[in-house]
mmCIF file of all heavy atoms in Angstrom:
data_model
loop_
_atom_site.group_PDB
_atom_site.id
_atom_site.type_symbol
_atom_site.label_atom_id
_atom_site.label_comp_id
_atom_site.label_asym_id
_atom_site.label_seq_id
_atom_site.Cartn_x
_atom_site.Cartn_y
_atom_site.Cartn_z
ATOM 1 N N MET A 296 -5.447 14.431 63.908
ATOM 2 C CA MET A 296 -6.892 14.360 63.672
ATOM 3 C C MET A 296 -7.381 15.655 63.024
ATOM 4 O O MET A 296 -6.845 16.735 63.263
ATOM 5 C CB MET A 296 -7.625 14.133 64.995
ATOM 6 C CG MET A 296 -7.108 12.937 65.793
ATOM 7 S SD MET A 296 -7.284 11.359 64.907
ATOM 8 C CE MET A 296 -9.070 11.186 64.956
ATOM 9 N N PRO A 297 -8.432 15.569 62.207
ATOM 10 C CA PRO A 297 -9.006 16.785 61.610
ATOM 11 C C PRO A 297 -9.727 17.615 62.677
ATOM 12 O O PRO A 297 -10.165 17.054 63.696
ATOM 13 C CB PRO A 297 -9.989 16.237 60.575
ATOM 14 C CG PRO A 297 -10.343 14.865 61.056
ATOM 15 C CD PRO A 297 -9.124 14.349 61.771
ATOM 16 N N PRO A 298 -9.829 18.935 62.470
ATOM 17 C CA PRO A 298 -9.366 19.699 61.305
ATOM 18 C C PRO A 298 -7.845 19.871 61.319
ATOM 19 O O PRO A 298 -7.236 20.020 62.375
ATOM 20 C CB PRO A 298 -10.071 21.041 61.466
ATOM 21 C CG PRO A 298 -10.295 21.178 62.939
ATOM 22 C CD PRO A 298 -10.552 19.781 63.447
ATOM 23 N N HIS A 299 -7.242 19.838 60.140
ATOM 24 C CA HIS A 299 -5.795 19.892 60.022
ATOM 25 C C HIS A 299 -5.312 21.331 59.821
ATOM 26 O O HIS A 299 -5.973 22.133 59.151
ATOM 27 C CB HIS A 299 -5.331 19.035 58.842
ATOM 28 C CG HIS A 299 -5.702 17.594 58.976
ATOM 29 N ND1 HIS A 299 -5.299 16.815 60.045
ATOM 30 C CD2 HIS A 299 -6.467 16.783 58.185
ATOM 31 C CE1 HIS A 299 -5.778 15.593 59.900
ATOM 32 N NE2 HIS A 299 -6.484 15.546 58.781
ATOM 33 N N SER A 300 -4.173 21.625 60.390
ATOM 34 C CA SER A 300 -3.583 22.958 60.251
ATOM 35 C C SER A 300 -3.035 23.137 58.840
ATOM 36 O O SER A 300 -2.781 22.173 58.111
ATOM 37 C CB SER A 300 -2.453 23.137 61.265
ATOM 38 O OG SER A 300 -1.378 22.259 60.967
ATOM 39 N N ASN A 301 -2.830 24.386 58.473
ATOM 40 C CA ASN A 301 -2.214 24.673 57.175
ATOM 41 C C ASN A 301 -0.816 24.066 57.078
ATOM 42 O O ASN A 301 -0.392 23.622 56.004
ATOM 43 C CB ASN A 301 -2.147 26.179 56.941
ATOM 44 C CG ASN A 301 -3.514 26.792 56.709
ATOM 45 O OD1 ASN A 301 -4.436 26.112 56.263
ATOM 46 N ND2 ASN A 301 -3.647 28.068 57.014
ATOM 47 N N GLN A 302 -0.111 24.040 58.197
ATOM 48 C CA GLN A 302 1.235 23.484 58.208
ATOM 49 C C GLN A 302 1.221 22.002 57.845
ATOM 50 O O GLN A 302 2.021 21.546 57.022
ATOM 51 C CB GLN A 302 1.882 23.670 59.583
ATOM 52 C CG GLN A 302 3.308 23.114 59.654
ATOM 53 C CD GLN A 302 3.904 23.254 61.050
ATOM 54 O OE1 GLN A 302 3.234 23.674 61.985
ATOM 55 N NE2 GLN A 302 5.169 22.894 61.186
ATOM 56 N N VAL A 303 0.301 21.250 58.447
ATOM 57 C CA VAL A 303 0.204 19.819 58.148
ATOM 58 C C VAL A 303 -0.174 19.600 56.693
ATOM 59 O O VAL A 303 0.431 18.785 55.985
ATOM 60 C CB VAL A 303 -0.821 19.139 59.081
ATOM 61 C CG1 VAL A 303 -1.160 17.729 58.575
ATOM 62 C CG2 VAL A 303 -0.282 19.067 60.497
ATOM 63 N N MET A 304 -1.171 20.338 56.205
ATOM 64 C CA MET A 304 -1.628 20.160 54.835
ATOM 65 C C MET A 304 -0.534 20.523 53.830
ATOM 66 O O MET A 304 -0.370 19.856 52.807
ATOM 67 C CB MET A 304 -2.877 20.992 54.580
ATOM 68 C CG MET A 304 -4.097 20.543 55.381
ATOM 69 S SD MET A 304 -4.569 18.826 55.048
ATOM 70 C CE MET A 304 -5.160 18.967 53.358
ATOM 71 N N ASN A 305 0.228 21.566 54.140
ATOM 72 C CA ASN A 305 1.321 21.952 53.244
ATOM 73 C C ASN A 305 2.430 20.901 53.225
ATOM 74 O O ASN A 305 3.033 20.634 52.177
ATOM 75 C CB ASN A 305 1.889 23.306 53.654
ATOM 76 C CG ASN A 305 0.932 24.456 53.378
ATOM 77 O OD1 ASN A 305 0.052 24.336 52.527
ATOM 78 N ND2 ASN A 305 1.072 25.548 54.109
ATOM 79 N N GLN A 306 2.698 20.308 54.387
ATOM 80 C CA GLN A 306 3.740 19.285 54.458
ATOM 81 C C GLN A 306 3.357 18.039 53.662
ATOM 82 O O GLN A 306 4.170 17.498 52.911
ATOM 83 C CB GLN A 306 4.026 18.918 55.914
ATOM 84 C CG GLN A 306 4.847 19.955 56.672
ATOM 85 C CD GLN A 306 5.125 19.526 58.092
ATOM 86 O OE1 GLN A 306 4.234 19.091 58.826
ATOM 87 N NE2 GLN A 306 6.372 19.647 58.504
ATOM 88 N N VAL A 307 2.123 17.575 53.834
ATOM 89 C CA VAL A 307 1.722 16.367 53.107
ATOM 90 C C VAL A 307 1.594 16.652 51.610
ATOM 91 O O VAL A 307 1.852 15.776 50.773
ATOM 92 C CB VAL A 307 0.419 15.762 53.680
ATOM 93 C CG1 VAL A 307 0.629 15.297 55.109
ATOM 94 C CG2 VAL A 307 -0.753 16.715 53.587
ATOM 95 N N LYS A 308 1.198 17.864 51.261
ATOM 96 C CA LYS A 308 1.135 18.223 49.844
ATOM 97 C C LYS A 308 2.534 18.203 49.227
ATOM 98 O O LYS A 308 2.726 17.745 48.087
ATOM 99 C CB LYS A 308 0.519 19.616 49.677
ATOM 100 C CG LYS A 308 0.389 20.079 48.208
ATOM 101 C CD LYS A 308 -0.557 19.180 47.428
ATOM 102 C CE LYS A 308 -0.985 19.789 46.102
ATOM 103 N NZ LYS A 308 0.125 19.994 45.176
ATOM 104 N N SER A 309 3.515 18.685 49.968
ATOM 105 C CA SER A 309 4.887 18.677 49.477
ATOM 106 C C SER A 309 5.374 17.241 49.249
ATOM 107 O O SER A 309 5.988 16.939 48.219
ATOM 108 C CB SER A 309 5.795 19.400 50.467
ATOM 109 O OG SER A 309 7.140 19.358 50.051
ATOM 110 N N VAL A 310 5.106 16.348 50.206
ATOM 111 C CA VAL A 310 5.490 14.939 50.046
ATOM 112 C C VAL A 310 4.770 14.335 48.852
ATOM 113 O O VAL A 310 5.365 13.604 48.048
ATOM 114 C CB VAL A 310 5.164 14.145 51.333
ATOM 115 C CG1 VAL A 310 5.361 12.643 51.100
ATOM 116 C CG2 VAL A 310 6.023 14.623 52.482
ATOM 117 N N SER A 311 3.489 14.636 48.721
ATOM 118 C CA SER A 311 2.698 14.106 47.615
ATOM 119 C C SER A 311 3.252 14.544 46.270
ATOM 120 O O SER A 311 3.369 13.743 45.332
ATOM 121 C CB SER A 311 1.235 14.551 47.755
ATOM 122 O OG SER A 311 0.458 14.089 46.675
ATOM 123 N N ASP A 312 3.620 15.813 46.156
ATOM 124 C CA ASP A 312 4.150 16.332 44.892
ATOM 125 C C ASP A 312 5.466 15.656 44.519
ATOM 126 O O ASP A 312 5.706 15.329 43.345
ATOM 127 C CB ASP A 312 4.349 17.843 44.981
ATOM 128 C CG ASP A 312 3.033 18.610 45.012
ATOM 129 O OD1 ASP A 312 1.992 18.021 44.657
ATOM 130 O OD2 ASP A 312 3.054 19.793 45.403
ATOM 131 N N VAL A 313 6.322 15.453 45.512
ATOM 132 C CA VAL A 313 7.604 14.794 45.250
ATOM 133 C C VAL A 313 7.369 13.349 44.824
ATOM 134 O O VAL A 313 7.987 12.850 43.873
ATOM 135 C CB VAL A 313 8.509 14.853 46.491
ATOM 136 C CG1 VAL A 313 9.763 14.002 46.285
ATOM 137 C CG2 VAL A 313 8.906 16.291 46.798
ATOM 138 N N TRP A 314 6.492 12.658 45.526
ATOM 139 C CA TRP A 314 6.189 11.257 45.202
ATOM 140 C C TRP A 314 5.596 11.135 43.800
ATOM 141 O O TRP A 314 5.938 10.230 43.039
ATOM 142 C CB TRP A 314 5.209 10.701 46.225
ATOM 143 C CG TRP A 314 4.830 9.265 45.986
ATOM 144 C CD1 TRP A 314 5.467 8.158 46.456
ATOM 145 C CD2 TRP A 314 3.719 8.789 45.203
ATOM 146 N NE1 TRP A 314 4.834 7.023 46.023
ATOM 147 C CE2 TRP A 314 3.749 7.377 45.246
ATOM 148 C CE3 TRP A 314 2.711 9.417 44.479
ATOM 149 C CZ2 TRP A 314 2.814 6.596 44.591
ATOM 150 C CZ3 TRP A 314 1.775 8.639 43.818
ATOM 151 C CH2 TRP A 314 1.821 7.242 43.876
ATOM 152 N N LEU A 315 4.704 12.074 43.455
ATOM 153 C CA LEU A 315 4.003 12.008 42.173
ATOM 154 C C LEU A 315 4.947 12.296 41.008
ATOM 155 O O LEU A 315 4.872 11.639 39.960
ATOM 156 C CB LEU A 315 2.841 13.000 42.173
ATOM 157 C CG LEU A 315 1.746 12.813 41.129
ATOM 158 C CD1 LEU A 315 1.073 11.457 41.290
ATOM 159 C CD2 LEU A 315 0.711 13.931 41.252
ATOM 160 N N GLY A 316 5.839 13.257 41.185
ATOM 161 C CA GLY A 316 6.770 13.603 40.113
ATOM 162 C C GLY A 316 6.042 14.033 38.855
ATOM 163 O O GLY A 316 5.152 14.885 38.897
ATOM 164 N N ASN A 317 6.382 13.412 37.739
ATOM 165 C CA ASN A 317 5.751 13.733 36.461
ATOM 166 C C ASN A 317 4.533 12.868 36.158
ATOM 167 O O ASN A 317 3.937 12.985 35.089
ATOM 168 C CB ASN A 317 6.772 13.571 35.323
ATOM 169 C CG ASN A 317 7.898 14.584 35.422
ATOM 170 O OD1 ASN A 317 7.692 15.721 35.843
ATOM 171 N ND2 ASN A 317 9.110 14.162 35.055
ATOM 172 N N ARG A 318 4.183 11.988 37.092
ATOM 173 C CA ARG A 318 3.032 11.116 36.866
ATOM 174 C C ARG A 318 1.723 11.870 37.100
ATOM 175 O O ARG A 318 1.688 12.879 37.799
ATOM 176 C CB ARG A 318 3.089 9.911 37.811
ATOM 177 C CG ARG A 318 4.257 8.983 37.544
ATOM 178 C CD ARG A 318 4.384 7.909 38.603
ATOM 179 N NE ARG A 318 4.779 8.471 39.896
ATOM 180 C CZ ARG A 318 5.014 7.739 40.978
ATOM 181 N NH1 ARG A 318 4.871 6.424 40.926
ATOM 182 N NH2 ARG A 318 5.387 8.305 42.109
ATOM 183 N N SER A 319 0.670 11.359 36.518
ATOM 184 C CA SER A 319 -0.660 11.945 36.702
ATOM 185 C C SER A 319 -1.389 11.219 37.824
ATOM 186 O O SER A 319 -1.159 10.027 38.065
ATOM 187 C CB SER A 319 -1.474 11.836 35.406
ATOM 188 O OG SER A 319 -0.858 12.548 34.360
ATOM 189 N N GLU A 320 -2.261 11.939 38.503
ATOM 190 C CA GLU A 320 -3.106 11.321 39.519
ATOM 191 C C GLU A 320 -4.086 10.348 38.863
ATOM 192 O O GLU A 320 -4.522 10.544 37.727
ATOM 193 C CB GLU A 320 -3.903 12.394 40.269
ATOM 194 C CG GLU A 320 -3.064 13.314 41.135
ATOM 195 C CD GLU A 320 -2.799 12.739 42.515
ATOM 196 O OE1 GLU A 320 -2.935 11.513 42.686
ATOM 197 O OE2 GLU A 320 -2.447 13.526 43.412
ATOM 198 N N LYS A 321 -4.430 9.304 39.611
ATOM 199 C CA LYS A 321 -5.480 8.384 39.172
ATOM 200 C C LYS A 321 -6.802 8.811 39.810
ATOM 201 O O LYS A 321 -6.880 9.866 40.442
ATOM 202 C CB LYS A 321 -5.112 6.950 39.520
ATOM 203 C CG LYS A 321 -3.873 6.442 38.781
ATOM 204 C CD LYS A 321 -3.577 5.004 39.134
ATOM 205 C CE LYS A 321 -2.426 4.453 38.304
ATOM 206 N NZ LYS A 321 -1.167 5.143 38.548
ATOM 207 N N GLY A 322 -7.834 8.014 39.660
ATOM 208 C CA GLY A 322 -9.131 8.384 40.214
ATOM 209 C C GLY A 322 -10.084 7.215 40.257
ATOM 210 O O GLY A 322 -9.694 6.054 40.134
ATOM 211 N N PHE A 323 -11.354 7.520 40.481
ATOM 212 C CA PHE A 323 -12.469 6.583 40.549
ATOM 213 C C PHE A 323 -12.308 5.619 41.725
ATOM 214 O O PHE A 323 -12.831 5.878 42.799
ATOM 215 C CB PHE A 323 -12.649 5.820 39.233
ATOM 216 C CG PHE A 323 -13.896 4.986 39.200
ATOM 217 C CD1 PHE A 323 -15.145 5.583 39.299
ATOM 218 C CD2 PHE A 323 -13.829 3.607 39.085
ATOM 219 C CE1 PHE A 323 -16.305 4.820 39.293
ATOM 220 C CE2 PHE A 323 -14.975 2.833 39.073
ATOM 221 C CZ PHE A 323 -16.209 3.450 39.174
ATOM 222 N N SER A 324 -11.593 4.510 41.556
ATOM 223 C CA SER A 324 -11.415 3.540 42.637
ATOM 224 C C SER A 324 -10.104 3.733 43.378
ATOM 225 O O SER A 324 -9.776 2.953 44.275
ATOM 226 C CB SER A 324 -11.482 2.117 42.088
ATOM 227 O OG SER A 324 -10.447 1.899 41.151
ATOM 228 N N VAL A 325 -9.354 4.775 43.004
ATOM 229 C CA VAL A 325 -8.058 5.073 43.622
ATOM 230 C C VAL A 325 -8.101 6.519 44.114
ATOM 231 O O VAL A 325 -8.486 7.418 43.373
ATOM 232 C CB VAL A 325 -6.908 4.897 42.610
ATOM 233 C CG1 VAL A 325 -5.573 5.207 43.260
ATOM 234 C CG2 VAL A 325 -6.921 3.492 42.026
ATOM 235 N N SER A 326 -7.718 6.731 45.348
ATOM 236 C CA SER A 326 -7.749 8.089 45.889
ATOM 237 C C SER A 326 -6.646 8.940 45.272
ATOM 238 O O SER A 326 -5.617 8.429 44.832
ATOM 239 C CB SER A 326 -7.610 8.069 47.420
ATOM 240 O OG SER A 326 -6.426 7.404 47.795
ATOM 241 N N PHE A 327 -6.872 10.231 45.252
ATOM 242 C CA PHE A 327 -5.874 11.180 44.765
ATOM 243 C C PHE A 327 -5.823 12.361 45.734
ATOM 244 O O PHE A 327 -6.678 12.497 46.623
ATOM 245 C CB PHE A 327 -6.203 11.652 43.345
ATOM 246 C CG PHE A 327 -7.591 12.202 43.167
ATOM 247 C CD1 PHE A 327 -7.868 13.537 43.391
ATOM 248 C CD2 PHE A 327 -8.628 11.370 42.760
ATOM 249 C CE1 PHE A 327 -9.152 14.047 43.231
ATOM 250 C CE2 PHE A 327 -9.924 11.869 42.590
ATOM 251 C CZ PHE A 327 -10.178 13.204 42.825
ATOM 252 N N PHE A 328 -4.803 13.189 45.582
ATOM 253 C CA PHE A 328 -4.639 14.290 46.534
ATOM 254 C C PHE A 328 -5.659 15.384 46.250
ATOM 255 O O PHE A 328 -5.660 16.016 45.198
ATOM 256 C CB PHE A 328 -3.228 14.877 46.466
ATOM 257 C CG PHE A 328 -2.901 15.730 47.661
ATOM 258 C CD1 PHE A 328 -2.201 15.204 48.725
ATOM 259 C CD2 PHE A 328 -3.323 17.054 47.739
ATOM 260 C CE1 PHE A 328 -1.918 15.976 49.840
ATOM 261 C CE2 PHE A 328 -3.056 17.829 48.848
ATOM 262 C CZ PHE A 328 -2.350 17.290 49.903
ATOM 263 N N ASP A 329 -6.527 15.592 47.213
ATOM 264 C CA ASP A 329 -7.559 16.623 47.138
ATOM 265 C C ASP A 329 -7.719 17.190 48.552
ATOM 266 O O ASP A 329 -7.969 16.436 49.505
ATOM 267 C CB ASP A 329 -8.870 16.034 46.629
ATOM 268 C CG ASP A 329 -9.999 17.054 46.609
ATOM 269 O OD1 ASP A 329 -10.082 17.819 45.631
ATOM 270 O OD2 ASP A 329 -10.790 17.096 47.584
ATOM 271 N N TYR A 330 -7.580 18.496 48.682
ATOM 272 C CA TYR A 330 -7.582 19.114 50.013
ATOM 273 C C TYR A 330 -8.861 18.808 50.791
ATOM 274 O O TYR A 330 -8.808 18.446 51.970
ATOM 275 C CB TYR A 330 -7.399 20.627 49.889
ATOM 276 C CG TYR A 330 -5.962 21.055 49.705
ATOM 277 C CD1 TYR A 330 -5.478 21.382 48.436
ATOM 278 C CD2 TYR A 330 -5.079 21.124 50.773
ATOM 279 C CE1 TYR A 330 -4.151 21.780 48.246
ATOM 280 C CE2 TYR A 330 -3.761 21.515 50.606
ATOM 281 C CZ TYR A 330 -3.307 21.834 49.335
ATOM 282 O OH TYR A 330 -2.005 22.212 49.167
ATOM 283 N N GLN A 331 -10.015 18.946 50.155
ATOM 284 C CA GLN A 331 -11.279 18.714 50.860
ATOM 285 C C GLN A 331 -11.420 17.264 51.292
ATOM 286 O O GLN A 331 -11.918 16.972 52.379
ATOM 287 C CB GLN A 331 -12.447 19.128 49.973
ATOM 288 C CG GLN A 331 -12.563 20.634 49.768
ATOM 289 C CD GLN A 331 -13.821 21.019 49.005
ATOM 290 O OE1 GLN A 331 -14.383 20.216 48.271
ATOM 291 N NE2 GLN A 331 -14.263 22.245 49.183
ATOM 292 N N TYR A 332 -10.977 16.351 50.426
ATOM 293 C CA TYR A 332 -11.068 14.927 50.757
ATOM 294 C C TYR A 332 -10.146 14.579 51.929
ATOM 295 O O TYR A 332 -10.569 13.977 52.917
ATOM 296 C CB TYR A 332 -10.697 14.108 49.516
ATOM 297 C CG TYR A 332 -10.646 12.616 49.741
ATOM 298 C CD1 TYR A 332 -11.809 11.874 49.891
ATOM 299 C CD2 TYR A 332 -9.421 11.940 49.778
ATOM 300 C CE1 TYR A 332 -11.760 10.499 50.076
ATOM 301 C CE2 TYR A 332 -9.362 10.567 49.961
ATOM 302 C CZ TYR A 332 -10.541 9.853 50.107
ATOM 303 O OH TYR A 332 -10.493 8.498 50.297
ATOM 304 N N ILE A 333 -8.901 14.972 51.836
ATOM 305 C CA ILE A 333 -7.924 14.622 52.865
ATOM 306 C C ILE A 333 -8.261 15.262 54.207
ATOM 307 O O ILE A 333 -8.019 14.680 55.269
ATOM 308 C CB ILE A 333 -6.512 15.025 52.390
ATOM 309 C CG1 ILE A 333 -6.077 14.127 51.242
ATOM 310 C CG2 ILE A 333 -5.499 14.953 53.525
ATOM 311 C CD1 ILE A 333 -4.770 14.522 50.620
ATOM 312 N N SER A 334 -8.845 16.454 54.154
ATOM 313 C CA SER A 334 -9.148 17.166 55.402
ATOM 314 C C SER A 334 -10.234 16.481 56.225
ATOM 315 O O SER A 334 -10.419 16.823 57.394
ATOM 316 C CB SER A 334 -9.563 18.610 55.091
ATOM 317 O OG SER A 334 -10.789 18.634 54.363
ATOM 318 N N ARG A 335 -10.915 15.487 55.655
ATOM 319 C CA ARG A 335 -11.976 14.778 56.380
ATOM 320 C C ARG A 335 -11.436 13.748 57.382
ATOM 321 O O ARG A 335 -12.132 13.377 58.332
ATOM 322 C CB ARG A 335 -12.878 14.016 55.394
ATOM 323 C CG ARG A 335 -13.802 14.878 54.566
ATOM 324 C CD ARG A 335 -14.620 14.018 53.613
ATOM 325 N NE ARG A 335 -15.721 14.776 53.048
ATOM 326 C CZ ARG A 335 -16.923 14.880 53.586
ATOM 327 N NH1 ARG A 335 -17.187 14.257 54.716
ATOM 328 N NH2 ARG A 335 -17.862 15.605 53.009
ATOM 329 N N PHE A 336 -10.219 13.259 57.161
ATOM 330 C CA PHE A 336 -9.765 12.046 57.823
ATOM 331 C C PHE A 336 -8.510 12.269 58.659
ATOM 332 O O PHE A 336 -7.740 13.203 58.411
ATOM 333 C CB PHE A 336 -9.468 10.965 56.779
ATOM 334 C CG PHE A 336 -10.561 10.755 55.786
ATOM 335 C CD1 PHE A 336 -10.314 10.926 54.422
ATOM 336 C CD2 PHE A 336 -11.836 10.379 56.189
ATOM 337 C CE1 PHE A 336 -11.321 10.723 53.497
ATOM 338 C CE2 PHE A 336 -12.849 10.173 55.266
ATOM 339 C CZ PHE A 336 -12.590 10.347 53.914
ATOM 340 N N PRO A 337 -8.270 11.370 59.644
ATOM 341 C CA PRO A 337 -6.973 11.382 60.326
ATOM 342 C C PRO A 337 -5.846 11.109 59.326
ATOM 343 O O PRO A 337 -6.055 10.445 58.303
ATOM 344 C CB PRO A 337 -7.096 10.234 61.335
ATOM 345 C CG PRO A 337 -8.563 9.993 61.499
ATOM 346 C CD PRO A 337 -9.185 10.340 60.180
ATOM 347 N N ILE A 338 -4.665 11.621 59.627
ATOM 348 C CA ILE A 338 -3.497 11.393 58.778
ATOM 349 C C ILE A 338 -2.367 10.861 59.657
ATOM 350 O O ILE A 338 -2.070 11.424 60.714
ATOM 351 C CB ILE A 338 -3.030 12.678 58.069
ATOM 352 C CG1 ILE A 338 -4.177 13.316 57.276
ATOM 353 C CG2 ILE A 338 -1.857 12.383 57.137
ATOM 354 C CD1 ILE A 338 -3.801 14.642 56.630
ATOM 355 N N ALA A 339 -1.753 9.774 59.205
ATOM 356 C CA ALA A 339 -0.573 9.240 59.885
ATOM 357 C C ALA A 339 0.668 9.832 59.224
ATOM 358 O O ALA A 339 0.836 9.713 58.003
ATOM 359 C CB ALA A 339 -0.553 7.718 59.797
#
Side-chain angles (χ1 to χ4, degrees):
M296 307 299 290
H299 300 302
S300 66
N301 290 334
Q302 180 183 5
V303 167
M304 294 301 291
N305 290 337
Q306 284 181 312
V307 296
K308 181 63 166 63
S309 177
V310 171
S311 178
D312 289 344
V313 172
W314 180 89
L315 198 60
N317 294 325
R318 294 173 292 183
S319 298
E320 292 275 19
K321 295 182 175 63
F323 188 62
S324 61
V325 180
S326 57
F327 53 88
F328 196 97
D329 177 83
Y330 279 100
Q331 290 186 337
Y332 176 74
I333 291 174
S334 65
R335 287 179 166 271
F336 310 121
I338 305 176

